[in-house]
Amino acid sequence: MTVSFCPAGTRGLIPSFKREPSLFPFGAVCGNKHSLLQVRASTAGSESCVGVGVAVKEDFADEEDYVKAGGSELLFVQMQRNKIMEKQSKLADKLRPIGDDILDLVVIGCGPAGLALAAESAKLGLKVGLVGPDLPFTNNYGVWEDEFKDLGLEGCIEHVWQDTIVYLDDESEPIMFGRAYGRVSRDLLHEELLRRCVESGVSYLCSRVESIVEGSNGHSLIACEHGINISSRLATVASGAASGKLLQYEVGGPKVCVQTAYGVEVEVENYPYDPNLMVFMDYRDYTKQKVPCLEAEYPTFLYAMAMSPTKIFFEETCLASKDAMPFDLLKKKLFARLNTLGIRIVKTYEEEWSWIPVGGSLPNTEQKNLAFGAAASMVHPATGYSVVRSLSEAPKYATVIAKILKQDHSNASLSRQISNQNISMQAWNTLWPQERKRQRAFFLFGLALLVQMDIEGMRTFFATFFRLPTWMWQGFLGSSLSSVDLMLFALYMFVIAPNSLRSRLVKHLLSDPTGATMLKTYLTVNMNSFPRT
């Protein structure tokens, strides 16, 4: 899971370094005006790609793009991204370099979404180039075991808990899910997706992309570092949520919120939970603060994975916030919680800083450049989950791209400009059909409700949520409910909710802009669904 945002004015652009020393060799961290992180990836002994992150707003398209990238916590996000993962192969060592030929598709971004889409597209016979910094997978991913099995990726799960548990408060009984949960091996997932890229013939360039422009022949010209230009019939941006320099987003949409989390994988002397259960949420208050403090303003929960009876991954998570909860407050709250639980840490293996933008605007679906993964706003607005959706939709999206590119290639009678617009429109409609937009409008309504709640409100909400029929709340978490199912979900939740939550739901529907947007989206008739005469 992940966390939230920094209150305006409480933190500067560069976090203070007067804290514990870093656990990892990230490269040079300079105390100059703009702190710098640098990691070098080499091929055949020479420096082939340098990933550099400079914490300045000017690097981003606008304020929202800066927030998506990490905002005032950007340095920690860069530290997480630039970790050294020695068991993950370098892309440049495995994939052949991009040549001078015109490509069918360039995928920009080398995360799970980018690798999956590149592999699936190339498997269908397209000439696919992958472009982006050669960085490893560094975040820990948690998934429902059955969902990863459906993707044929069960071999990438490193640990499975046969059941999952939630604690809301000291008075109520814990909630058992009756569903197995797994932790994905970052290394195995990276190597599996890379293997698929190698086998399907994907080529690669280790470079940042500076711009995408349309050439006179209608092809996309991808401008990379060092004056390198790549010509492609189509470009898809899969470089993460902060892709505003390469994509256009709808104007006037909801403000992006952030889910943030601080985690540690540690060896402990004792573990008070059952190690055979995955602790999905523990919202109980272990701090028992008598005096108001800044960290108490953010409702957070503990997320815990027991890799063994004594090796545990703990994470303090703020589900969503308009102003992100700073990592130092999350860290403070986590260790206060562990101390109260009597958990003594004897060894620290790793720290994790997780920053997931949720909500915000959709990409403008009239642009030629396409998007996938977080860049396409595919992150679940109310939970922060995205990896499973990206991996599951990659084959379908690749099939549509391959089909329309082949149709375009064989139809020489159409002008290139009209054909390009047709290509993009078909692809965007596959990714964001009206049904998906209705579902997202519902999730945004829920997100806007959650960010207004204090800790007691969160407990009441989730106590009601987990009383729903299992297929409802599991479908909500897994994005498998249709827009009609979601309306039934809302009605059922309203019926069983306590009066305090009911009144809050009604007030939210009538007063919050996301309520009006949801109703408008549900009432929008998709004219493309009617037969043409």
Side-chain angles (χ1 to χ4, degrees):
M1 305 291 289
T2 326
V3 192
S4 62
F5 257 71
C6 269
T10 61
R11 298 177 65 78
L13 179 63
I14 303 300
S16 168
F17 283 94
K18 295 179 179 178
R19 58 187 76 217
E20 295 179 16
S22 173
L23 299 178
F24 305 100
F26 300 109
V29 180
C30 308
N32 300 327
K33 180 179 179 182
H34 300 311
S35 292
L36 184 68
L37 293 173
Q38 185 169 345
V39 173
R40 287 179 170 82
S42 60
T43 302
S46 63
E47 184 180 292
S48 63
C49 186
V50 179
V52 178
V54 183
V56 290
K57 289 187 178 181
E58 289 74 14
D59 286 339
F60 305 99
D62 52 30
E63 180 69 23
E64 179 149 310
D65 205 44
Y66 167 68
V67 168
K68 288 179 179 179
S72 55
E73 301 292 277
L74 180 58
L75 183 59
F76 288 110
V77 176
Q78 292 174 324
M79 289 169 66
Q80 177 67 28
R81 181 191 64 193
N82 290 321
K83 287 180 180 177
I84 295 173
M85 309 295 289
E86 294 180 349
K87 294 183 179 180
Q88 296 182 29
S89 302
K90 289 295 181 182
L91 302 181
D93 291 342
K94 298 289 185 178
L95 299 174
R96 60 185 177 85
I98 290 177
D100 297 328
D101 295 340
I102 296 174
L103 298 170
D104 293 316
L105 176 68
V106 165
V107 177
I108 301 165
C110 305
L115 290 180
L117 182 61
E120 293 294 336
S121 301
K123 191 165 66 175
L124 297 173
L126 298 181
K127 290 188 291 183
V128 179
L130 184 68
V131 181
D134 200 342
L135 297 174
F137 296 176
T138 61
N139 285 86
N140 284 296
Y141 303 116
V143 296
W144 301 109
E145 184 190 27
D146 55 344
E147 291 183 344
F148 240 49
K149 281 185 175 180
D150 291 343
L151 295 171
L153 291 170
E154 61 269 28
C156 296
I157 298 178
E158 62 179 326
H159 194 97
V160 175
W161 297 266
Q162 292 306 316
D163 209 342
T164 314
I165 192 167
V166 166
Y167 300 89
L168 295 177
D169 54 46
D170 292 319
E171 287 70 41
S172 59
E173 290 293 318
I175 301 164
M176 303 290 290
F177 282 14
R179 192 180 188 190
Y181 197 80
R183 187 168 98 161
V184 177
S185 165
R186 299 166 289 187
D187 299 336
L188 292 177
L189 180 63
H190 182 274
E191 296 306 288
E192 172 61 20
L193 295 179
L194 177 55
R195 181 191 66 79
R196 295 180 183 185
C197 286
V198 172
E199 289 186 354
S200 59
V202 174
S203 55
Y204 175 63
L205 173 67
C206 181
S207 173
R208 297 187 184 279
V209 173
E210 297 176 347
S211 65
I212 309 171
V213 297
E214 187 170 352
S216 57
N217 58 359
H219 292 157
S220 294
L221 194 64
I222 295 91
C224 304
E225 295 173 309
H226 311 300
I228 298 173
N229 293 313
I230 302 170
S231 183
S232 177
R233 296 171 64 201
L234 204 57
T236 298
V237 180
S239 53
S243 296
K245 282 199 168 184
L246 302 178
L247 292 169
Q248 302 165 9
Y249 288 85
E250 292 177 353
V251 178
K255 179 185 175 184
V256 69
C257 297
V258 182
Q259 180 191 113
T260 52
Y262 171 80
V264 287
E265 184 150 300
V266 294
E267 197 76 32
V268 298
E269 286 187 348
N270 61 307
Y271 183 59
Y273 300 96
D274 183 345
N276 297 308
L277 300 176
M278 189 272 160
V279 181
F280 193 72
M281 288 179 174
D282 189 346
Y283 264 114
R284 292 177 293 183
D285 182 13
Y286 288 108
T287 59
K288 310 297 183 186
Q289 291 281 356
K290 304 292 184 183
V291 180
C293 58
L294 184 57
E295 59 266 29
E297 296 177 10
Y298 300 89
T300 65
F301 62 88
L302 179 69
Y303 174 89
M305 295 173 161
M307 306 303 292
S308 76
T310 58
K311 185 178 182 180
I312 317 294
F313 177 72
F314 293 110
E315 194 164 60
E316 192 75 21
T317 302
C318 177
L319 187 60
S321 177
K322 292 180 180 179
D323 298 308
M325 185 174 182
F327 287 122
D328 60 351
L329 293 185
L330 283 161
K331 182 175 182 177
K332 181 179 179 181
K333 198 166 184 178
L334 173 62
F335 284 106
R337 186 191 294 271
L338 298 182
N339 183 60
T340 305
L341 285 169
I343 297 173
R344 183 173 179 272
I345 296 173
V346 296
K347 183 178 181 180
T348 300
Y349 296 102
E350 181 179 5
E351 290 180 280
E352 178 171 287
W353 300 271
S354 179
W355 180 279
I356 301 178
V358 290
S361 297
L362 286 175
N364 182 344
T365 56
E366 295 182 358
Q367 62 189 309
K368 179 190 174 183
N369 298 331
L370 301 178
F372 193 62
S377 303
M378 292 172 65
V379 178
H380 193 307
T383 66
Y385 285 124
S386 67
V387 173
V388 168
R389 181 183 171 191
S390 294
L391 296 178
S392 63
E393 292 200 18
K396 178 182 177 182
Y397 197 42
T399 299
V400 171
I401 291 174
K403 181 180 178 181
I404 58 183
L405 279 174
K406 289 174 182 178
Q407 286 176 345
D408 171 63
H409 187 70
S410 62
N411 193 349
S413 63
L414 292 177
S415 72
R416 178 62 59 185
Q417 182 178 5
I418 294 175
S419 182
N420 282 338
Q421 292 173 348
N422 186 46
I423 285 175
S424 300
M425 186 60 69
Q426 290 182 62
W428 280 117
N429 286 342
T430 299
L431 199 62
W432 282 111
Q434 194 62 38
E435 169 65 6
R436 274 289 189 188
K437 290 180 178 179
R438 284 191 286 265
Q439 294 168 352
R440 189 173 191 271
F442 185 94
F443 293 145
L444 288 173
F445 174 79
L447 171 63
L449 176 68
L450 290 175
V451 297
Q452 297 174 17
M453 290 182 170
D454 58 13
I455 186 66
E456 289 303 325
M458 284 289 200
R459 290 168 179 158
T460 301
F461 177 87
F462 282 112
T464 307
F465 179 86
F466 288 118
R467 285 174 55 207
L468 293 168
T470 302
W471 70 269
M472 279 190 179
W473 62 258
Q474 285 192 359
F476 184 91
L477 295 177
S479 299
S480 61
L481 298 183
S482 69
S483 58
V484 175
D485 291 335
L486 290 170
M487 285 292 98
L488 183 60
F489 169 100
L491 177 61
Y492 205 122
M493 186 141 182
F494 184 81
V495 169
I496 67 174
N499 288 334
S500 60
L501 183 55
R502 284 182 188 172
S503 62
R504 190 160 198 167
L505 286 168
V506 172
K507 181 180 178 181
H508 185 63
L509 178 62
L510 297 177
S511 63
D512 195 273
T514 58
T517 300
M518 178 180 67
L519 293 176
K520 180 181 178 181
T521 306
Y522 264 76
L523 294 174
T524 297
V525 178
N526 184 1
M527 301 306 295
N528 293 329
S529 65
F530 290 92
R532 297 180 184 271
T533 57

